[in-house]
Amino acid sequence: MQDLLRPEAPGFPVAIPPGHVGPVTLPGTGRTVWWTGRVAIGLLHEPRRQAGLSESARWVQALLLAPRAC
């Protein structure tokens, strides 16, 4: 059987007091998850947003916003 990593084990990445149920902030990311007492739920992937528009996005935007000749 595989060894399980328990919150009270040394080296567990987050210090969770015994009996705690509620929000826990993950170190390094600042994301908050809900600790149920046995597992953490609420981990969502949040892709990083780019600071600006890509060249192709600017080209499409210019094409759509250009005045049309009738």
Side-chain angles (χ1 to χ4, degrees):
M1 180 173 199
Q2 185 180 13
D3 291 335
L4 299 175
L5 184 60
R6 302 206 182 270
E8 62 275 1
F12 195 75
V14 181
I16 302 174
H20 174 75
V21 174
V24 174
T25 302
L26 300 177
T29 64
R31 292 186 181 166
T32 301
V33 297
W34 187 265
W35 181 253
T36 66
R38 293 179 55 185
V39 297
I41 57 174
L43 294 173
L44 297 176
H45 172 68
E46 298 174 12
R48 294 181 184 224
R49 299 183 185 263
Q50 292 182 344
L53 295 174
S54 66
E55 185 176 340
S56 61
R58 286 192 298 271
W59 177 80
V60 170
Q61 185 178 33
L63 182 66
L64 293 173
L65 296 176
R68 295 184 184 183
C70 293

